[in-house]
Amino acid sequence: MAKLTNFTILPTSSIKQALIRLDKNKHGIILIVNKSSKLLGVATDGDIRRKLVSDCNISDSIKICMNTKFVSVDLSTPRESVIKKFDNNIKVIPVINTKGILQRIYTLNDFPVAPEKSNYSRAKAPVRISFGGGGSDLTHFFATQKGAVINATISLYSHAILKRRNDKKIIISSADLNQEIKASNLKSALKMKTDLSLIQSVIKLVDPDFGFELQVFSDFPHSSGLGGSSAVSAAILGCFNEFKSDPWSNYEMAEIAYQAERLSLQISGGWQDQYACTFGGFNFMEFTIDDNLVHPLRLSNKTKLELEESLVLCDTGVSHNSGNIHDDQKISMNEQKIHDLVKLNVENTHKIKNKILKGNLDDFAKLLDTAWHFKRRFSNKISNKKLDNIYSGAKNNGAIGGKLLGAGGGGFFIFYVKPFYRSKLINHLKNNKLDVVNFTFDENGLQSWKFRE
């Protein structure tokens, strides 16, 4: 950084003193300032020579050589603008504040890159709709049999915003649950008894060594059956991943999300949700005790468009506890007939994959219907009279097939409807006080980025 004392001089100083300063700074310019460091003007070696040649001598005040029409900038002047001034043959640029006080000097050899600014990270992760294979992504099933599911992510997201603090304080807020955690450090934040246990569980595994502020909010209701808890976990992990020098892969983030929910919190459930919201798009997933593999499906654009127009997402208005349903299913899985039903569901999932890849959507819809009838027999907690009536009513009004999403017991139905019956089905659902949610398919999965404050 250029030394100001080699460039500045009081207006009462002599021309001789100014020449001594010019010799020291070797930039051919002197800045005239008052005792408060306010910049009054500048004088170049050329300005001084012209005065000495004409009508003054070396003992006169430098003030008589001063040029008050000088180029200056402030600290907020865009870098581009400063560079253009240098490029226009200006060698030294004084930096002043709004009161004209000299702050520093820019020269061609001393114009540093702007200091690093504070950053925050954002992330969003989509929820999924599942078409088949539910139950086979449970570890106690694929420990002995290969599991397979097929799903797609949609344009309903969980969002997270993360900002690092300069201290160890922790502030976590959830707009979905209308709750907040404020603590002096991470250990205290993780000890608090709150409804934000999933967020706390994820953060415990991340184990950040800095204080932070985290906000989470979602486009979908709580306990929706859309894999929302996994989307929340993924969005949080995406935010922290932006601050890592060695970022996690999609597989690693899915595994951390699974660990946080299934192992740390002991909430029963399968593996597909974590992979779906992290990878995004249409995926066929295979599960074995050794490997979980995500196979992206290359559907034609017209197949995707037709599916978007033909699928109707319907909120039953009934929340559910997926953990309790999975616990019950785990017990019932010990019965051979239930185990065999899940195997049949896996076989059906392979058929769904083949039909959807070939664009045979009517057949795909009929296989959805088959998948639902398999699934509802896994546990007596999966369906009930109200849900059965919703399903049969949809089929009577144009739906070829569909299924309840997630573990069951409530949440959302997805229906595939014949082209000219979409309006009829939607009117039927709305007349029965059921909400229809519009969506498009998401191809990106978890997205995260960092931005300057």
Side-chain angles (χ1 to χ4, degrees):
M1 183 173 174
K3 194 173 182 181
L4 286 179
T5 54
N6 289 337
F7 284 86
T8 57
I9 200 165
L10 293 171
T12 54
S13 300
S14 68
I15 292 175
K16 180 179 179 179
Q17 289 172 313
L19 289 170
I20 293 171
R21 293 284 169 88
L22 277 172
D23 188 58
K24 281 187 177 181
N25 71 48
K26 301 187 186 309
H27 280 81
I29 191 170
I30 198 76
L31 309 182
I32 296 96
V33 298
N34 64 16
K35 291 182 179 180
S36 300
S37 295
K38 182 175 181 178
L39 182 59
L40 305 175
V42 303
T44 66
D45 51 4
D47 293 330
I48 295 172
R49 278 198 309 271
R50 282 188 290 275
K51 279 291 182 182
L52 288 173
V53 168
S54 59
D55 57 356
C56 69
N57 61 61
I58 202 166
S59 61
D60 288 338
S61 166
I62 186 62
K63 187 176 181 180
I64 65 174
C65 304
M66 185 173 69
N67 177 8
T68 57
K69 294 181 179 180
F70 53 85
V71 173
S72 65
V73 297
D74 60 44
L75 290 171
S76 65
T77 300
R79 187 172 185 81
E80 174 191 1
S81 179
V82 177
I83 291 172
K84 286 176 179 176
K85 287 176 173 56
F86 282 132
D87 203 33
N88 201 27
N89 209 32
I90 297 174
K91 307 300 183 186
V92 175
I93 304 174
V95 183
I96 60 176
N97 65 15
T98 55
K99 295 181 179 179
I101 305 300
L102 185 65
Q103 305 290 292
R104 62 166 299 167
I105 295 168
Y106 290 151
T107 71
L108 281 171
N109 296 320
D110 185 19
F111 178 42
V113 174
E116 186 172 341
K117 295 182 179 179
S118 176
N119 291 276
Y120 61 86
S121 62
R122 283 188 186 266
K124 65 176 188 176
V127 294
R128 58 93 190 105
I129 52 176
S130 52
F131 300 126
S136 73
D137 63 329
L138 299 169
T139 306
H140 58 264
F141 176 82
F142 65 71
T144 57
Q145 305 281 333
K146 181 179 279 191
V149 302
I150 185 169
N151 54 43
T153 47
I154 61 174
S155 57
L156 297 174
Y157 300 91
S158 182
H159 308 260
I161 310 171
L162 177 70
K163 180 173 72 173
R164 291 182 64 154
R165 293 179 60 94
N166 295 323
D167 54 29
K168 292 294 184 180
K169 289 182 180 178
I170 307 294
I171 301 174
I172 303 168
S173 61
S174 168
D176 305 327
L177 299 175
N178 195 29
Q179 285 209 8
E180 184 177 66
I181 291 173
K182 287 187 176 181
S184 58
N185 55 59
L186 182 63
K187 187 176 181 180
S188 299
L190 296 178
K191 280 184 176 180
M192 290 184 178
K193 299 296 182 183
T194 72
D195 291 335
L196 306 183
S197 56
L198 176 63
I199 298 175
Q200 291 169 296
S201 181
V202 173
I203 291 170
K204 184 177 181 180
L205 292 176
V206 174
D207 193 25
D209 59 358
F210 52 85
F212 59 86
E213 295 178 33
L214 173 68
Q215 291 184 6
V216 180
F217 55 97
S218 304
D219 302 334
F220 48 85
H222 187 59
S223 299
S224 62
L226 298 171
S229 58
S230 297
V232 169
S233 299
I236 295 168
L237 290 170
C239 279
F240 279 104
N241 211 25
E242 287 296 314
F243 288 99
K244 283 176 61 64
S245 57
D246 177 26
W248 298 302
S249 69
N250 283 346
Y251 276 101
E252 288 172 321
M253 283 190 282
E255 290 158 8
I256 295 168
Y258 184 92
Q259 182 182 350
E261 187 172 3
R262 307 292 185 229
L263 303 185
S264 300
L265 292 182
Q266 291 290 295
I267 299 173
S268 296
W271 286 80
Q272 68 166 307
D273 295 354
Q274 290 81 5
Y275 289 103
C277 65
T278 304
F279 282 84
F282 284 81
N283 290 297
F284 179 75
M285 302 179 186
E286 293 183 295
F287 301 94
T288 68
I289 200 63
D290 296 317
D291 286 301
N292 297 337
L293 298 176
V294 179
H295 305 285
L297 299 181
R298 296 182 62 183
L299 275 61
S300 69
N301 191 52
K302 68 177 183 179
T303 296
K304 292 177 186 176
L305 290 171
E306 185 61 22
L307 274 173
E308 282 182 350
E309 294 299 313
S310 300
L311 290 173
V312 174
L313 186 63
C314 163
D315 187 355
T316 66
V318 180
S319 62
H320 74 304
N321 187 316
S322 62
N324 289 345
I325 296 170
H326 281 300
D327 285 337
D328 185 70
Q329 188 176 329
K330 187 174 182 178
I331 296 170
S332 65
M333 195 75 77
N334 293 322
E335 300 177 30
Q336 188 60 44
K337 64 179 183 179
I338 302 300
H339 193 85
D340 290 343
L341 276 173
V342 178
K343 286 174 65 177
L344 288 172
N345 203 21
V346 171
E347 293 174 12
N348 192 61
T349 299
H350 283 270
K351 295 176 183 177
I352 289 174
K353 179 191 70 171
N354 295 341
K355 296 300 182 184
I356 200 172
L357 282 172
K358 292 180 179 179
N360 297 334
L361 297 186
D362 278 8
D363 289 341
F364 157 79
K366 293 171 184 174
L367 291 169
L368 275 186
D369 183 66
T370 302
W372 168 237
H373 287 294
F374 283 146
K375 176 177 178 173
R376 64 188 303 280
R377 293 161 62 190
F378 293 168
S379 163
N380 59 17
K381 294 181 181 291
I382 289 176
S383 192
N384 53 47
K385 187 175 181 180
K386 178 179 179 178
L387 297 176
D388 287 342
N389 286 339
I390 293 173
Y391 191 81
S392 60
K395 289 197 70 176
N396 290 334
N397 284 272
I400 301 176
K403 64 186 290 290
L404 193 64
L405 301 174
F412 281 76
F413 266 113
I414 191 76
F415 297 113
Y416 184 95
V417 63
K418 297 176 183 179
F420 292 96
Y421 286 83
R422 181 181 176 88
S423 295
K424 180 182 178 182
L425 174 59
I426 290 174
N427 288 335
H428 163 77
L429 295 171
K430 289 182 176 179
N431 288 338
N432 283 273
K433 311 299 182 185
L434 300 171
D435 289 332
V436 173
V437 178
N438 293 322
F439 69 90
T440 56
F441 290 117
D442 167 272
E443 298 292 339
N444 299 303
L446 171 63
Q447 297 181 81
S448 62
W449 60 97
K450 197 186 287 184
F451 213 77
R452 288 181 180 176
E453 277 199 272

